[in-house]
C-alpha cells in the first residue's frame, strides 16, 4: 500500500501561469519520502545515524494536469522494487483523487561517510515493507 502525504500548494511554488512549476513536483516527492521514512523509522536521520543513506540515481515525471495555488494535493509513494542495493519507487500526485503527475524514482543505498554503495539493511527492508506495491 502506498504511503500518502498531503500538503497545500504554496504561492511561491507556482509559475507565472498560476500552476505548480514542474520542478517542484520532485521536491514534493522528496518531502513525501522524508515523511515516509519518519513513519517507518522515526526519522530520516535515524537510518543515517545507523550507517545507511540513499542517493537519487534516476527521477522522471509525467504531467497529466496542473495543480494550483492553495489546492490540497496528495503525494503517494510506493516501493515498486527493493533490489540488493537500490529501490525503485512509484510516485503519484493527486487532487481529490484525480491524477496530476506520475513519477518514478530510483535510489541507491550508500554508506553516509564514504558514499560507497551498500546492501539494503534488513531493518530498512522491514520498515519499508508496508509501502510495497510490488506483486513479487
Amino acid at each position: 500500500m502506498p504511503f500518502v502525504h498531503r500538503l497545500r500548494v504554496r504561492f511561491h511554488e507556482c509559475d507565472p501561469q498560476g500552476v505548480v512549476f514542474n520542478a517542484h513536483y520532485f521536491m514534493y516527492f522528496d518531502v513525501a519520502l522524508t515523511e515516509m521514512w519518519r513513519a517507518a523509522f522515526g526519522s530520516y536521520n535515524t537510518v543515517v545515524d545507523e550507517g545507511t543513506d540513499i542517493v537519487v540515481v534516476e527521477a522522471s515525471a509525467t504531467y497529466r494536469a496542473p495543480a494550483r495555488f492553495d489546492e490540497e494535493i496528495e503525494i503517494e509513494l510506493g516501493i515498486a522494487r527493493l533490489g540488493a542495493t537500490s529501490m525503485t519507487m512509484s510516485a503519484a500526485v493527486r487532487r481529490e483523487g484525480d491524477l496530476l503527475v506520475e513519477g518514478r524514482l530510483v535510489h541507491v543505498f550508500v554508506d553516509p561517510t564514504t558514499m560507497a554503495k551498500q546492501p539494503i539493511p534488513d531493518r530498512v527492508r522491514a520498515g519499508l515493507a508496508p509501502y510495497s506495491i510490488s506483486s513479487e
Side-chain angles (χ1 to χ4, degrees), residues 22 26-27 37 45 61 63-64 68 73 82 84 91 110 112 117 121 126:
N22 63 76
F26 292 101
M27 184 263 307
W37 282 52
N45 285 336
Y63 304 95
R64 305 279 181 209
R68 299 180 187 282
I73 56 175
L82 275 178
V110 298
K117 187 167 33 172

Side-chain angles (χ1 to χ4, degrees), residues 32-85:
L33 178 64
T34 299
E35 294 305 320
M36 174 195 281
W37 282 52
R38 184 182 323 283
F41 309 110
S43 76
Y44 186 88
N45 285 336
T46 298
V47 178
V48 173
D49 291 344
E50 292 173 356
T52 300
D53 202 353
I54 56 174
V55 294
V56 175
V57 296
E58 183 180 331
S60 64
T62 302
Y63 304 95
R64 305 279 181 209
R68 299 180 187 282
F69 169 65
D70 210 34
E71 291 180 336
E72 190 170 294
I73 56 175
E74 296 180 338
I75 300 92
E76 300 174 1
L77 293 180
I79 308 295
R81 179 180 176 276
L82 275 178
T85 60

Side-chain angles (χ1 to χ4, degrees), residues 26 29 33 55-61 86-91 103-108:
F26 292 101
F29 298 159
L33 178 64
V55 294
V56 175
V57 296
E58 183 180 331
S60 64
S86 68
M87 74 175 169
T88 302
M89 301 180 69
S90 292
R104 180 175 183 270
L105 302 163
V106 179
H107 291 84
V108 169

Side-chain angles (χ1 to χ4, degrees), residues 13 20-29 61 63:
E13 296 163 350
V20 172
F21 179 67
N22 63 76
H24 284 293
Y25 288 101
F26 292 101
M27 184 263 307
Y28 294 160
F29 298 159
Y63 304 95

